[in-house]
């Protein structure tokens, strides 16, 4: 159906280029969507028949499953990936005046986690080939106030994690890997989940494994694990080994520090636990689609593809195209609109975080990270998810190719 629409839309191309409003596309292919299978629905139903709707056995199962999948020793399930980052920063002890280094090409949460505790995010520029945070740029921005580095596995690829691990060790910094995009990715033979002192995941609706919402912090460090468990639920502990005063009875608990309610429900945990059973299949399908896109787009001079480190076996969450302005007559906005007019849903991941008005008001200035800004000006994300059919993938490839050919600069 969409292919027919595309045939019909070929005539529309000059109108789009001329800035006319884009017509509502029929059968629009979204840029992302979850894949929920019958057994996932049954797993959720099963929980609804139990007495535990929150913090019950499904949480324990999901946490154990995450440890099994990643090789980490401990997992703490929380309400979303943002909560995971916030708790990781709290557990690392960051406070007012401290600095945390991260990439600008990420969702705001990777930087906001510093602000929640009064710390200052510092943005290090990206590598122009991989679009991941550049370790040399991190090193350049370390000051006596730096306490943590938050490398983000942008699109599911990774930055040079070994170098970042090494520089964190050398400067005594906590490494909190934001792996919201990279569940299942392997770097130098070791799974994402064990490179950082803590690793955070998101199970937002469109992530490879979905819980609607959901998150987790993984660590190999028992002390951090204990802190994270307490911080997840207000800062309350019932563990006899941790109590400050003798227990007054079975009801007794102590609030020892101030935190939030960042608990995940058992309903979501059951969905995530069940979805984790499909991770290998979802990853294989994402790999297939990525290979098909890479092969189709590689020789097109109008496009620049994200390079991956040879030591990274990625499970991609996003597929991002960079447009080559020297070879195209139209800019990113026009290309975006034209693809949407072809029924191909797009997005832009991401606006450099420091350019968002909240950060501008804090004094961050444009031009801080030139590579990140150049990437932002010319990139867009195209449909990429495990539930895409071969026909969907072909439709996207055909539409992208046609626009590149039509708008090529001589
Ligand atoms: C890189 C990155 N970090 C953190 C988050 C926050 O995760 P959540 O939406 O689960 O709070 C996201 C969200 O999509 C993300 O893409």
């Amino acid at each position: 159906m969409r292919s027919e629409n595309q045939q019909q839309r070929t005539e529309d191309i000059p109108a789009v280029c001329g800035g006319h409003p884009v017509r509502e596309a029929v059968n629009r292919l979204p840029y992302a969507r979850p894949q929920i299978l019958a057994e996932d629905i049954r797993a959720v139903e099963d929980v609804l028949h139990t007495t535990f709707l929150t913090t019950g056995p499904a949480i324990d199962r999901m946490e154990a499953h995450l440890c099994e999948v990643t090789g980490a020793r401990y997992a703490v399930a929380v309400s979303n990936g943002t909560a995971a980052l916030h708790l990781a920063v709290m557990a690392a002890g960051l406070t007012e005046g401290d600095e945390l280094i991260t990439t600008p090409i990420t969702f705001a949460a990777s930087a906001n986690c510093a602000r929640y505790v009064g710390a200052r995010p510092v943005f290090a520029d990206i590598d122009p080939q991989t679009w991941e945070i550049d370790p040399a740029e991190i090193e350049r921005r370390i000051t006596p106030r730096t306490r943590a580095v938050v490398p983000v596995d942008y699109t599911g690829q990774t930055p040079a994690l070994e170098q970042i691990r090494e520089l964190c060790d050398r400067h005594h910094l906590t490494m909190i890997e934001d792996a919201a995009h990279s569940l299942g990715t392997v770097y130098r033979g070791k799974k994402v989940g064990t490179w950082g002192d803590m690793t955070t995941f998101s199970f937002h609706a469109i992530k490879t494994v979905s819980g609607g919402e959901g998150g987790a912090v993984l660590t190999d460090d028992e002390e951090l694990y204990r802190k994270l468990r307490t911080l997840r639920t207000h800062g309350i502990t019932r563990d006899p080994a941790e109590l400050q005063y003798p227990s007054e009875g079975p009801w007794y608990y102590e609030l020892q520090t101030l935190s939030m309610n960042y608990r995940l429900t058992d309903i979501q945990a059951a969905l995530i636990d069940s979805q984790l059973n499909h991770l290998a299949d979802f990853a294989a399908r994402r790999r297939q689609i990525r290979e098909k896109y890479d092969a189709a787009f590689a020789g097109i001079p109008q496009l620049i593809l994200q390079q991956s480190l040879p030591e990274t076996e990625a499970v991609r969450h996003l597929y991002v195209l960079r447009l080559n302005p020297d070879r195209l007559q139209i800019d990113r906005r026009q290309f975006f609109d034209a693809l949407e007019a072809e029924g191909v849903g797009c997005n832009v991941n991401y606006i450099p975080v420091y350019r968002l008005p909240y950060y501008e008001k804090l004094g961050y200035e444009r031009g801080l990270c030139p590579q990140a800004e150049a990437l932002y000006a010319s990139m867009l994300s195209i449909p990429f998810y495990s539930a895409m059919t071969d026909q969907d993938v072909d439709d996207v490839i055909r539409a992208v190719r046609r626009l590149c050919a039509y708008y090529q600069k001589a």
Side-chain angles (χ1 to χ4, degrees):
M1 193 59 185
R2 195 164 33 251
S3 296
E4 283 164 28
N5 293 335
Q6 286 177 348
Q7 290 304 320
Q8 193 190 319
R9 282 201 172 78
T10 308
E11 288 98 55
D12 295 348
I13 287 178
V16 171
C17 188
H20 291 269
V22 174
R23 277 196 251 140
E24 186 72 25
V26 186
N27 289 337
R28 178 182 176 273
L29 196 64
Y31 101 95
R33 51 157 278 211
Q35 186 171 11
I36 304 296
L37 306 182
E39 52 266 43
D40 303 333
I41 294 168
R42 273 199 300 277
V44 170
E45 272 176 10
D46 288 348
V47 167
L48 292 172
H49 291 297
T50 71
T51 49
F52 289 100
L53 294 189
T54 191
T55 325
I59 296 283
D60 296 336
R61 281 198 299 274
M62 171 197 149
E63 290 177 343
H65 206 162
L66 270 175
C67 289
E68 186 193 313
V69 161
T70 59
R73 280 181 73 191
Y74 305 106
V76 178
V78 294
S79 44
N80 54 62
T82 305
L85 283 162
H86 186 182
L87 293 191
V89 165
M90 284 177 82
L94 266 75
T95 182
E96 199 90 24
D98 289 338
E99 292 177 355
L100 172 156
I101 302 177
T102 192
T103 171
I105 297 295
T106 184
F107 182 61
S110 316
N112 292 351
C113 60
R115 297 298 305 139
Y116 298 148
V117 297
R120 202 174 88 87
V122 172
F123 296 97
D125 211 348
I126 54 164
D127 176 285
Q129 260 79 47
T130 64
W131 312 342
E132 305 287 342
I133 193 168
D134 180 345
E137 289 293 312
I138 297 176
E139 190 115 34
R140 240 165 42 82
R141 301 193 190 234
I142 293 174
T143 73
R145 296 181 162 209
T146 309
R147 292 286 310 280
V149 177
V150 176
V152 176
D153 300 327
Y154 173 62
T155 73
Q157 295 286 152
T158 72
L161 292 175
E162 196 169 52
Q163 274 168 272
I164 297 171
R165 179 71 270 174
E166 185 276 321
L167 76 84
C168 284
D169 289 344
R170 190 156 32 86
H171 293 277
H172 309 292
L173 308 174
T174 304
M175 176 171 163
I176 301 168
E177 185 175 352
D178 181 346
H181 295 186
S182 61
L183 183 65
T185 290
V186 177
Y187 173 83
R188 288 198 187 280
K190 199 164 111 149
K191 287 182 189 145
V192 160
T194 52
W195 281 94
D197 297 293
M198 288 172 272
T199 305
T200 62
F201 287 103
S202 163
F203 304 105
H204 175 265
I206 60 160
K207 296 295 192 290
T208 302
V209 160
S210 175
E213 297 278 358
V217 190
L218 273 59
T219 184
D220 281 351
D221 182 314
E222 188 177 346
E223 198 184 321
L224 286 173
Y225 169 64
R226 287 182 174 282
K227 276 192 197 168
L228 289 163
R229 277 182 67 97
T230 304
L231 291 171
R232 155 172 78 183
T233 176
H234 305 277
I236 284 175
T237 183
R238 294 174 186 274
D239 183 342
E242 289 174 1
L243 295 180
Q244 205 171 313
Y245 298 102
S247 170
E248 294 169 12
W251 66 87
Y252 189 72
Y253 63 82
E254 289 181 358
L255 178 79
Q256 295 182 336
T257 184
L258 188 66
S259 190
M260 289 65 54
N261 173 359
Y262 277 165
R263 293 188 304 262
L264 185 73
T265 67
D266 255 33
I267 305 162
Q268 291 162 300
L271 178 54
I272 294 163
D273 183 41
S274 178
Q275 285 256 295
L276 284 169
N277 291 326
H278 318 309
L279 178 59
D281 290 342
F282 288 173
R285 180 63 184 149
R286 282 175 181 265
R287 205 165 295 128
Q288 265 177 0
I289 298 169
R290 179 204 165 172
E291 281 168 6
K292 225 170 160 186
Y293 277 165
D294 281 350
F297 302 142
I300 301 181
Q302 286 72 32
L303 302 175
I304 300 164
L305 304 187
Q306 184 183 15
Q307 301 298 307
S308 59
L309 297 172
E311 56 270 31
T312 307
E313 295 160 50
V315 176
R316 280 281 197 94
H317 157 56
L318 295 172
Y319 197 95
V320 177
L321 286 175
R322 184 171 184 170
L323 306 176
N324 181 352
D326 297 336
R327 305 301 290 268
L328 269 172
Q329 296 169 36
I330 56 173
D331 63 14
R332 188 264 309 277
R333 176 61 202 264
Q334 291 165 314
F335 200 96
F336 184 108
D337 288 348
L339 263 185
E340 286 275 354
E342 295 273 306
V344 174
C346 302
N347 199 2
V348 173
N349 305 93
Y350 295 91
I351 304 166
V353 176
Y354 61 80
R355 285 185 48 168
L356 299 169
Y358 169 75
Y359 283 99
E360 277 194 343
K361 275 183 247 155
L362 289 175
Y364 292 83
E365 286 177 2
R366 288 185 179 216
L368 200 57
C369 296
Q371 299 292 354
E373 296 203 18
L375 174 65
Y376 167 62
S378 56
M379 62 142 117
L380 79 173
S381 308
I382 58 172
F384 190 70
Y385 45 92
S386 48
M388 283 179 89
T389 64
D390 288 344
Q391 180 65 59
D392 293 336
V393 178
D394 289 343
D395 283 353
V396 175
I397 291 172
R398 202 174 308 115
V400 170
R401 276 191 173 146
R402 194 162 50 226
L403 292 181
C404 287
Y406 193 88
Y407 291 119
Q408 67 182 292
K409 224 184 236 177

